[in-house]
Amino acid sequence: MRPAKLLELEAVLAISRRGSFRSAARDLGLSPTAIGNAVAGLEDELGVRLFDRTTRRVSLTAAGHDFVRAIAPALSDIHAATEAARSQRGSPTGTLRINCSIAGGHQILVPFVTEFLRRYPGVKVDVVTEGRLVDIVQAGFDAGVRVANGVPPGMTIVPLHHGLRHRVVASPDYFKTHPRPVHPDDLGAHDCIRIRWPSGAPYEWEFEKDGEAMWVDVPWSLSLDNHGLITRAALAGAGLAYVAEAEVADYVASGRLVAVLGDWMPPGPGFCLYYPERRPIVGFASALAQVIAELRERGD
């Protein structure tokens, strides 16, 4: 049996990531026919189907899942070695792919990514935000950004800041008909916008004051899993929302949202950049880590 070509392996990963031959072909700069032929040739050589294909969707078979899980780390190492070689010629070039939560995107975009792009104009940064936590290696990302206590095991962590602070907010119109809570126990009399984890489980609002910690499964009339939608719902007067301070700071400053329970909101775990610890970040990704370290040391 001939060894699989790198293009065929790249095609399998791209299709599994995008769920579409056409989208995968666009990512790799190939025609759909070319990528289809590459995968068909590999499946013939292996003697198994890697994908189930219908007119509407493409999904991995059980054998395909096992195959992708096995080849993803090796291809990640190949890309890392390629970028390491490129970095020897001077200023880094290429594309750095980062997966992060919506709130994580707010934390990394300014100032880290903007400063990074200013220093290294030959690098492109592709930031993908989503609620669910993905396997960054299998999904083809170079790094991820999440709250530190949500990072999967086996990862090296580069802190982005010392702590993430949340706020409980609502619109001025909401408080025209509801009293402002002064203690977490008061939330039982309010309409709250509940947060769901990507798993679907509700997120309990966290509070702490003078050594007393509380986790409140708030009453709710609206449940969402997207922080941007939660903020918009709060602006529209749907109820109290529990969101990252960075996402609502401008609205609070302008008076469009009112923050309450501030003395019960201590800083929590901060966001961090993370990547597989079995190998160091190389090339342009190491340059991003250096930018983060420098800006944090300066206090920017």
Side-chain angles (χ1 to χ4, degrees):
M1 178 184 295
R2 66 171 177 81
K5 297 177 182 178
L6 183 60
L7 173 61
E8 295 170 340
L9 302 181
E10 292 277 19
V12 170
L13 280 188
I15 296 166
S16 68
R17 182 171 65 243
R18 301 284 280 172
S20 162
F21 276 72
R22 185 173 298 278
S23 297
R26 190 182 306 117
D27 286 352
L28 297 178
L30 300 170
S31 69
T33 299
I35 201 171
N37 290 339
V39 172
L42 179 59
E43 288 178 326
D44 287 344
E45 196 68 33
L46 296 175
V48 296
R49 290 186 68 83
L50 300 175
F51 296 98
D52 286 324
R53 306 162 175 85
T54 68
T55 55
R56 292 191 173 187
R57 64 190 300 268
V58 177
S59 60
L60 286 166
T61 63
H65 277 290
D66 292 341
F67 188 71
V68 166
R69 191 177 301 112
I71 67 172
L75 284 177
S76 180
D77 285 343
I78 291 172
H79 291 311
T82 300
E83 293 305 327
R86 286 176 177 168
S87 69
Q88 300 302 312
R89 69 186 182 190
S91 181
T93 61
T95 301
L96 173 62
R97 301 191 72 239
I98 303 173
N99 179 277
C100 60
S101 63
I102 301 293
H106 282 281
Q107 299 296 321
I108 194 172
L109 187 60
V110 179
F112 303 122
V113 169
T114 50
E115 173 63 17
F116 175 69
L117 290 172
R118 186 190 67 78
R119 295 189 191 184
Y120 303 104
V123 177
K124 298 178 181 179
V125 178
D126 181 12
V127 178
V128 176
T129 58
E130 54 188 318
R132 66 191 181 96
L133 183 64
V134 304
D135 182 328
I136 58 173
V137 175
Q138 183 171 328
F141 292 96
D142 301 294
V145 176
R146 298 282 166 174
V147 175
N149 61 3
V151 173
M155 296 288 169
T156 294
I157 293 175
V158 180
L160 298 179
H161 52 73
H162 295 293
L164 172 67
R165 192 177 182 89
H166 282 82
R167 284 283 183 258
V168 174
V169 297
S171 71
D173 285 344
Y174 176 82
F175 285 124
K176 289 179 180 178
T177 56
H178 297 80
R180 299 190 184 191
V182 296
H183 189 281
D185 287 341
D186 297 337
L187 296 174
H190 282 270
D191 295 324
C192 297
I193 304 168
R194 189 179 68 168
I195 311 167
R196 292 196 309 272
W197 290 108
S199 66
Y203 174 78
E204 294 184 333
W205 293 12
E206 302 177 48
F207 301 97
E208 184 179 343
K209 181 181 179 181
D210 300 330
E212 179 185 1
M214 299 182 65
W215 290 264
V216 182
D217 186 3
V218 295
W220 58 280
S221 54
L222 178 63
S223 182
L224 298 168
D225 63 356
N226 179 287
H227 287 266
L229 290 178
I230 290 170
T231 299
R232 293 184 64 180
L235 287 166
L240 293 169
Y242 187 99
V243 289
E245 183 177 51
E247 295 185 41
V248 296
D250 290 343
Y251 295 123
V252 172
S254 67
R256 294 186 63 191
L257 289 174
V258 177
V260 295
L261 296 173
D263 55 342
W264 281 89
M265 311 296 290
F271 278 96
C272 62
L273 180 80
Y274 67 94
Y275 55 92
E277 64 183 14
R278 60 189 184 82
R279 62 173 176 81
I281 284 185
V282 296
F284 51 73
S286 64
L288 174 59
Q290 181 63 35
V291 168
I292 291 171
E294 290 180 11
L295 294 183
R296 290 193 70 235
E297 185 175 350
R298 282 167 26 193
D300 292 355

